[in-house]
Amino acid sequence: MTTSRKVIMMVKKTARWGTSLMGVALVSALISAPPASAADDFFTYDGAKPLADYEPGAVLKTRTISYRIAGIPTPLKAVQLLYRTTNARGEAVANTTSVVRSAVGDGTRAVSYGSVYDSLDVDHSPSRAIAGNVSIGGAIANFETTMIAPMLLKGYTVLIPDTEGPTANFAAGPEYGQTTLDSIRAASVATKDTGLNQSTKVALAGYSGGAIASNWAAQLAPTYAPEVNKRLVGVASGGVLVNPARNLEYVGGSLVWAGVAPMAIIGVARAYDIDFGPYLNDYGRKVFAKLDKASIVNALGQYPGLKWKDMVKPQYADPRSVPPFVEAVNKVNMGQAGSPTIPTFMGQGAGGFFEGTSGTKPGIGAGDAVMVAGDVRSLARKYCTEGTPAVKYDEYTLLSHVAGAVPWYATALPWISDRFAGKKAPSDCGRIRAGNSLAPLTPMS
């Protein structure tokens, strides 16, 4: 048997483990396995040189480990890099990325994959799960082995950054984008370990929480990391969070996704150092306290019918009456950021009623139960008018958020392959239906 054939079989077997060991991860988490990161100092910068003195993307630590699923080592190896990046407030912080080399690739093509780990606890991040941490939240990153395996088989090196940063700032989009771009920088200078270099072509890809990372990275790259932007071949994202203020209204009162709203508020407040305490009522304080280190699995379906007004004092029933909220949601509105200068593919579901969110709401329209289709269409149209080279947009009318991941991924992988091959990118500009306004939220006078 040839070496290449052995590698292909190894990767396929690892992908199968990624699915079958999900149950093991959940069981292990339920018996309170100790977090691997509790005794793992790799994730902490302990150098004498001030972190701010390093350039963004500088490598601080490097190690090679067995890629673990539910704490169990697999034949795959992962290179983990602790690197300097920038948080939402512009401060220097240390973050981690995991680089999985394809044994059938040559290091000329890489995919930065945005994980959907969606959590307020850093112990649920991909780097911890890959290092062996076992938790319910981390099981999401373990399952994503089935997503990256086909990329490895195509010869792509896969980068998996902790997109939410070292303090798990869920939903703080600009921070996701910066951690992603600095992960690419770090992997490109750690050439001996990663096999990549500063000429490696890179595609961005991610669904849901991963779409926050991939889209924000593509939007920020021309200004935050122009040298990386020159190497990007395209961005594929699905289930896209565009205008969080509208998403809050959309999921309010829903059966499954309502609990994600307070999670996002907590994450963005943490990112921008905002205290929402003075605005919360007793119940709101209980919800925020319970979700402070929650994974999305701790929120889905556990707060049916929850709305903003249920968590705040009566005088703040309108979110626009809370100045810190208005300030924060405008900072994370993709519609207020620049547009990518690379080909873009976005897929978005619009059958949210299948996951317990009202089919349409006045001024919002249909969504996939958590993301708003009209917002994504407007973002795609914005890209078209602002010079993005090609914008492909697919809308899955009868698919909800979870189901929409299937056709998105089935399209995204060959779309990425075509970008690496240098083929002309397809574009739907001029054919995308109008959507919602992406204007910033205005405070109450």
Side-chain angles (χ1 to χ4, degrees):
M1 184 182 295
T2 65
T3 300
S4 295
R5 177 66 175 167
K6 289 179 180 177
V7 170
I8 291 171
M9 291 180 66
M10 176 188 74
V11 174
K12 287 182 175 178
K13 180 181 290 186
T14 301
R16 290 195 297 271
W17 286 350
T19 302
S20 63
L21 290 179
M22 277 288 288
V24 177
L26 294 173
V27 171
S28 299
L30 290 173
I31 61 174
S32 301
S37 58
D40 192 340
D41 61 5
F42 179 82
F43 302 110
T44 303
Y45 175 65
D46 51 11
K49 181 178 178 178
L51 195 55
D53 288 352
Y54 288 95
E55 291 296 317
V59 177
L60 307 171
K61 293 181 183 179
T62 305
R63 70 178 180 185
T64 299
I65 60 173
S66 293
Y67 189 113
R68 287 173 166 79
I69 300 175
I72 302 173
T74 74
L76 286 178
K77 298 295 182 183
V79 176
Q80 292 197 317
L81 306 174
L82 186 74
Y83 63 98
R84 192 273 208 202
T85 187
T86 308
N87 68 14
R89 299 192 295 277
E91 300 166 344
V93 293
N95 196 51
T96 310
T97 190
S98 299
V99 182
V100 186
R101 298 177 65 170
S102 170
V104 295
D106 58 6
T108 61
R109 299 168 297 170
V111 176
S112 179
Y113 177 78
S115 172
V116 300
Y117 67 105
D118 295 350
S119 177
L120 291 164
D121 190 339
V122 70
D123 277 332
H124 299 157
S125 61
S127 64
R128 270 69 165 183
I130 291 169
N133 201 15
V134 178
S135 65
I136 293 177
I140 295 173
N142 285 155
F143 178 78
E144 289 178 304
T145 307
T146 61
M147 307 289 280
I148 70 169
M151 298 176 184
L152 296 173
L153 291 171
K154 283 183 171 290
Y156 311 149
T157 298
V158 181
L159 286 62
I160 314 168
D162 291 353
T163 53
E164 297 178 6
T167 50
N169 296 336
F170 174 58
E175 185 163 337
Y176 282 49
Q178 290 165 182
T179 58
T180 298
L181 292 168
D182 286 331
S183 162
I184 296 170
R185 282 170 160 160
S188 300
V189 298
T191 301
K192 180 180 177 182
D193 299 292
T194 65
L196 306 181
N197 58 55
Q198 296 183 54
S199 297
T200 299
K201 297 298 183 182
V202 182
L204 303 167
Y207 190 85
S208 190
I212 300 175
S214 58
N215 259 42
W216 272 102
Q219 290 181 274
L220 294 176
T223 53
Y224 183 80
E227 82 287 2
V228 172
N229 191 57
K230 293 177 182 178
R231 297 161 47 201
L232 298 178
V233 300
V235 53
S237 59
V240 186
L241 175 65
V242 178
N243 184 359
R246 188 170 287 116
N247 289 80
L248 176 70
E249 185 178 353
Y250 175 57
V251 302
S254 64
L255 296 177
V256 178
W257 290 94
V260 176
M263 278 190 65
I265 296 170
I266 293 168
V268 173
R270 183 183 297 171
Y272 292 104
D273 195 23
I274 297 170
D275 180 14
F276 276 99
Y279 307 97
L280 300 175
N281 59 25
D282 289 344
Y283 179 66
R285 284 191 287 272
K286 290 178 182 178
V287 171
F288 273 50
K290 187 173 182 180
L291 294 177
D292 185 60
K293 287 197 173 183
S295 163
I296 194 169
V297 298
N298 303 120
L300 291 180
Q302 298 186 40
Y303 295 90
L306 181 68
K307 296 182 179 181
W308 165 275
K309 65 183 179 65
D310 299 327
M311 298 182 290
V312 297
K313 296 172 182 177
Q315 62 268 38
Y316 304 118
D318 188 327
R320 296 175 302 158
S321 66
V322 180
F325 175 80
V326 174
E327 178 185 1
V329 297
N330 287 336
K331 287 179 178 178
V332 296
N333 181 346
M334 281 186 186
Q336 298 301 301
S339 293
T341 60
I342 55 175
T344 300
F345 161 55
M346 288 190 287
Q348 178 59 47
F353 50 89
F354 286 115
E355 290 179 20
T357 302
S358 176
T360 60
K361 290 187 176 182
I364 298 176
D368 65 7
V370 61
M371 307 305 185
V372 179
D375 288 0
V376 185
R377 290 198 304 271
S378 290
L379 187 67
R381 288 164 63 95
K382 173 182 182 291
Y383 289 172
C384 290
T385 60
E386 293 184 357
T388 298
V391 181
K392 175 177 171 55
Y393 175 74
D394 289 349
E395 189 165 303
Y396 317 121
T397 306
L398 295 177
L399 294 181
S400 56
H401 190 69
V402 175
V406 176
W408 171 79
Y409 187 79
T411 301
L413 194 57
W415 185 88
I416 289 170
S417 296
D418 286 347
R419 303 292 74 74
F420 281 129
K423 295 182 180 180
K424 183 178 179 180
S427 183
D428 293 312
C429 289
R431 297 189 296 271
I432 303 170
R433 291 188 296 119
N436 304 320
S437 170
L438 300 181
L441 191 66
T442 56
M444 291 180 67
S445 57

